[in-house]
Amino acid sequence: MPNTIIIGSGSYLPSKIIGREYFKDSVFYTDEGEKIDKPNEEVIQKFVEITEIENRRYLEDDEFNSDLGFRAAEEAIIDAKINREDLEYIIYASNFGEVNKDGMTNFMPSMSARVKNKLGIKNRKCVNYDMIFGCPGWVEAMILADTLIKAKKAKLILVVGSETLSRVTDPFDRNRMIFADGAGAVVVKATDDETVGIIADSTICDNDTELNFLENSPSLKKDEDRTKLYIRMHGRKIYEYALKNVPDAIKETIDKAGLTLDDIDKVLIHQANAKMDYAMISRLHKLYGKSDYDHAISPMTIQELGNSSVATIPTMFDLIRKGKMQGHSFKEKGNIIFTSVGAGMNINAMVYRFP
C-alpha cells in the first residue's frame, strides 16, 4: 500500500502587523451584552496574559482568502519542484470561504476551484475539494489526501489551509483579539516506502451538546444589526472540552502508530490560545506518567501570528522546515504530530515520519 510524504511546503503571512494598540479605542461587551467598564489597557493586558498573543496578521482591504491560499500554494509547488499540471487533487481547508471587507462570505465557486484558477492549472482531471471542518480542517484535508493516495486514486495532491478571520469578528467582542489571517500549503506525493510519511491518524467528531461551542451569532452589542453574524467562541466550554479530549486523541494516534511519546520529536498543535495549548500538552505528558516536559516539543507561533484557524499548523510546519523558527528543526526519520481541535466540535491527530 502506498504512503504519503510531503515534498514541498509554503506559507503566506499578510504584511499588516496588528498589535495591542489597534484595540485601544475599542468598546467591548460581555457575552450577556453588558458594556465592559474596565479600562481597555486592563482588558487587553489580561487578554495577553492568558493567550500570550501580542501581535497578529491581517490581510489588506484588496486581498481575499484565495489570494493568501494562492501565494502559499504557489510557494509549495515551487518548493516541491513539480509540474503543477500533474496535480490530481487540490484540497482547500477554510471555514468562511471568500469573505469581503464587509464580512459577507462566499463559497461559490469553491475555494479550491478559485486557487486552481489562480495557479493557472488547465488539467481538467485535477479535482478540487473544499474541506469545511473547523480549525482541524487542514489536518483533516491531509488525512483525506492520505486516504486518496492509499486508495490509489491519486499520487500527487496539493493541500491548502487559509483563513481570513479578521473579517468575521465582532468589533465589540474581546475575543476578536485572538483571531488572525494567514495561509499554509503542502504538496504530498505517494511513496512505496510504508515506513515513512503519514503512518497513523484519528478523527473524533462530537456534534451533540458540543455543537455550538463555536458558532456564528449577532453582535454582543444589542442595538447592532441582528442579521449580521460573527464568529462566537464559548471559551470556557471549549477549554474544558479540549483539555478533556485532545490529549487522549493524541495518545490514541501515537499508540496506533506503535510509538510512545518518547518517539515524538515535535507536536504541532493548532495555535488556539497559549494557555489552552500548554494545558493540553501538559495533560498529554501526564498520560505517559511525565510531570514535566521540554517546551521545545511544542513550538508556538501564536504570540506573533495569532490564531489563523486552519492555517496555523501548515504555516508553522513551513516555517520550521525552512529554518525560520529559531531553536526548532525537523530531523531525518523523525516523528512529529499534527493535531487540532475546533468547531463542531472536531478533533484530529496524525503521526508523520520524515523520509
Side-chain angles (χ1 to χ4, degrees):
M1 182 183 296
N3 213 347
T4 305
I5 56 170
I6 298 169
I7 61 170
S9 64
S11 59
Y12 179 73
L13 300 173
S15 58
K16 191 188 295 185
I17 300 174
I18 304 297
R20 61 170 71 189
E21 69 282 353
Y22 183 88
F23 306 99
K24 65 182 177 61
D25 296 324
S26 297
V27 179
F28 294 123
Y29 285 74
T30 66
D31 290 347
E32 293 72 36
E34 300 295 327
K35 185 178 177 181
I36 297 174
D37 291 326
K38 295 178 181 178
N40 268 14
E41 291 79 4
E42 183 180 334
V43 174
I44 294 169
Q45 180 59 33
K46 183 65 174 177
F47 168 86
V48 174
E49 289 173 2
I50 293 173
T51 67
E52 295 190 6
I53 302 172
E54 281 283 357
N55 296 305
R56 71 284 293 148
R57 300 295 183 96
Y58 284 3
L59 77 173
E60 300 289 344
D61 286 349
D62 61 351
E63 288 183 309
F64 290 91
N65 188 331
S66 61
D67 294 323
L68 276 57
F70 158 70
R71 293 185 179 106
E74 180 80 6
E75 184 179 318
I77 289 169
I78 293 171
D79 185 47
K81 299 178 176 60
I82 62 163
N83 181 346
R84 66 192 64 200
E85 295 295 335
D86 292 335
L87 286 168
E88 294 157 287
Y89 285 87
I90 297 173
I91 310 175
Y92 197 115
S94 74
N95 296 296
F96 292 92
E98 199 84 314
V99 187
N100 66 20
K101 60 183 181 180
D102 296 319
M104 294 187 64
T105 65
N106 182 352
F107 271 107
M108 189 172 68
S110 68
M111 299 305 297
S112 50
R114 292 174 200 254
V115 81
K116 177 182 174 182
N117 175 272
K118 290 185 177 184
L119 288 167
I121 295 173
K122 305 300 183 183
N123 177 10
R124 297 169 68 196
K125 296 292 187 179
C126 176
V127 179
N128 52 274
Y129 279 163
D130 275 26
M131 175 66 72
I132 306 170
F133 201 72
C135 291
W138 183 82
V139 176
E140 199 64 26
M142 287 288 286
I143 292 171
L144 174 59
D146 182 51
T147 300
L148 290 167
I149 284 174
K150 282 183 166 59
K152 301 183 181 180
K153 291 280 291 182
K155 294 181 179 179
L156 196 64
I157 301 175
L158 171 67
V159 185
V160 184
S162 180
E163 197 62 274
T164 53
L165 293 177
S166 67
R167 290 186 175 168
V168 294
T169 54
D170 179 1
F172 301 100
D173 186 351
R174 288 168 292 182
N175 286 329
R176 70 181 293 214
M177 293 187 284
I178 287 178
F179 299 114
D181 308 329
V186 298
V187 175
V188 297
K189 180 181 180 181
T191 176
D192 291 329
D193 186 349
E194 295 183 24
T195 67
V196 299
I198 299 174
I199 59 174
D201 67 78
S202 60
T203 300
I204 296 169
C205 299
D206 288 315
N207 316 124
D208 188 13
T209 57
E210 309 85 359
L211 183 65
N212 295 317
F213 287 1
L214 267 158
E215 60 181 341
N216 289 318
S217 67
S219 175
L220 294 176
K221 190 170 184 286
K222 300 299 185 184
D223 57 359
E224 290 292 297
D225 181 359
R226 308 313 286 168
T227 65
K228 190 169 183 179
L229 302 180
Y230 304 93
I231 185 171
R232 184 77 60 229
M233 185 170 59
H234 301 284
R236 171 52 57 181
K237 290 182 178 180
I238 294 171
Y239 182 90
E240 292 172 351
Y241 171 84
L243 193 56
K244 178 182 178 182
N245 294 284
V246 173
D248 287 336
I250 298 173
K251 186 177 185 300
E252 174 190 330
T253 313
I254 294 173
D255 292 346
K256 189 184 293 186
L259 304 174
T260 72
L261 189 58
D262 290 335
D263 299 311
I264 304 299
D265 299 311
K266 298 288 182 189
V267 179
L268 302 194
I269 192 169
H270 165 53
Q271 303 293 282
N273 81 58
K275 180 181 179 181
M276 189 168 87
D277 285 356
Y278 291 140
M280 288 188 289
I281 297 300
S282 178
R283 180 70 63 89
L284 172 65
H285 281 76
K286 288 177 180 176
L287 291 176
Y288 287 90
K290 300 175 184 290
S291 59
D292 199 9
Y293 70 96
D294 183 350
H295 284 262
I297 194 175
S298 182
M300 302 285 280
T301 60
I302 195 165
Q303 292 85 353
E304 292 300 318
L305 303 182
N307 177 346
S308 55
S309 185
V310 295
T312 67
I313 293 177
T315 297
M316 189 190 328
F317 175 83
D318 181 59
L319 294 176
I320 296 174
R321 185 170 174 266
K322 293 176 179 173
K324 296 180 180 180
M325 280 188 69
Q326 187 175 1
H328 295 285
S329 62
F330 299 131
K331 63 184 183 182
E332 185 177 343
K333 301 297 182 182
N335 300 302
I336 66 172
I337 296 281
F338 296 108
T339 186
S340 186
V341 58
M345 295 292 288
N346 301 321
I347 299 170
N348 52 23
M350 67 182 192
V351 177
Y352 181 80
R353 180 175 295 157
F354 286 88

